[in-house]
Amino acid sequence: MAPSLIADSFVSLAALGGLLILIGAIRDFDAASPLTRRFLFGLHVLSLLMVSRVLSWWTGLFIFEAATVMAAGLVPLATVILAEGLLRRHAPKVTKWIVAGGAATFIVLALVPAIFAEPWRSVMLFAYQFVSFALAAHMAVTRDRASLSKAENQAVDRVALSLLLILPLFVTDFRSPYIDMPVRLGGVAVLFLCWLLISLGQRTVSHRDTLASFVILLSVALVGAVAIGIENGLGTAALVRTATVVVCASLLGVIWKDGITLRAEQRRQSLIRHLAEDRIDDPLGFLRELQNHPLVEGALQLGEPELVDFDLPALKALFIDQPLLRTAQIQGLTETDSEQLAWLLEKYEATHVMLVSLHPFRLVALNMPSVSATPGAETELKVVQRMALLISQRSAGHD
């Protein structure tokens, strides 16, 4: 089994993993918007390319070879379609004719057996992809920045940045008797694209931070690969393959971690959506809906009947003074109040208790240990508590 085949397959499968993570993250946000559909089209085309090329290498079946050529021919079309959506303007007619005509041409050429089509088909495909990517990059560079928002400009900048990396690395995907590359590097470019796009969900991360992270990751991975190569006496080709595999594995791990971070952020924002979207004219309905949200799932409503074993006057005074209490605050209270709060938290296996109504007196107990490490989520919980209390006061006033 050729070492280059193993390395090429790993790189392509790692790129496929990054694409699937990115597709899942995008679908979680807004799968129905026109721009999202353009993104997903391009990502699905790249995914098809990664899968078909690996199956083609390992099976040698014509159907997978044809699918690989078709997908490769669709990549430039998907790139320009995405560029139009991001820039909110149509591509020049010449660009449209080139990418649309090229895609149709390679769908037809994909059906020609390799024995008749190579090497001229690969040369044509390389020229077509290079020209198309250059045209898409030109659209991004010459855009009217004033007509786009800051977020839109940031997205365009990151796609354009990825194209600058994709262009040279995709050259290595075309085998030539004159240039013998130890491994195809197109998958590395795809992984970098996935990282740039998934980092768009982290608004506080700048281009400089992203590039600095990439340089650090790349440097560490290369140092690790060199150490492995020296220890095992690897030649130049084997060292390049090892470095590429290490870089791809590292990038995939970072993309997976960022994907988890985005999903966690989405779950955290569910409390804000609860305030923005749910009814505010029904205190009990508001609290019941609150119990369905992931951050406070299973929250218990405690009225005076459930609190009959406690010193109600002292408990009311405590929560009027501090409407949201958590486990960490027990030590800072008076002896009587700390005993009351400790018993309350222990009895209902809660980490937080908040006041949601004075008339009638009602508390909500919930178990959310992760909040201790996420101050933003606890701030949102304070907002929910205040909103619930205001709704109950408004309802009492109407009555």
Side-chain angles (χ1 to χ4, degrees), residues 48-76:
L48 174 61
L49 176 60
M50 296 299 116
V51 170
S52 60
R53 73 194 306 192
V54 172
L55 292 175
S56 173
W57 295 334
W58 285 88
T59 66
L61 295 178
F62 176 74
I63 185 173
F64 297 127
E65 293 177 1
T68 300
V69 175
M70 289 181 184
L74 287 172
V75 168

Side-chain angles (χ1 to χ4, degrees), residues 252-323:
L252 183 59
V254 171
I255 293 169
W256 172 259
K257 182 256 182 188
D258 286 349
I260 292 176
T261 301
L262 284 180
R263 287 189 175 89
E265 178 69 15
Q266 187 180 27
R267 288 193 295 269
R268 190 173 67 87
Q269 290 296 331
S270 63
L271 285 178
I272 296 298
R273 288 197 299 271
H274 178 58
L275 294 178
E277 299 172 2
D278 292 342
R279 295 181 60 185
I280 61 172
D281 57 352
D282 179 10
L284 292 178
F286 180 84
L287 294 175
R288 281 194 297 269
E289 287 296 324
L290 176 65
Q291 291 173 308
N292 296 327
H293 288 270
L295 279 177
V296 291
E297 186 175 1
L300 299 175
Q301 295 188 44
L302 307 175
E304 293 190 9
E306 290 78 19
L307 300 171
V308 67
D309 295 334
F310 295 84
D311 183 350
L312 275 179
L315 203 61
K316 290 180 179 179
L318 172 62
F319 278 95
I320 289 174
D321 183 51
Q322 300 186 63

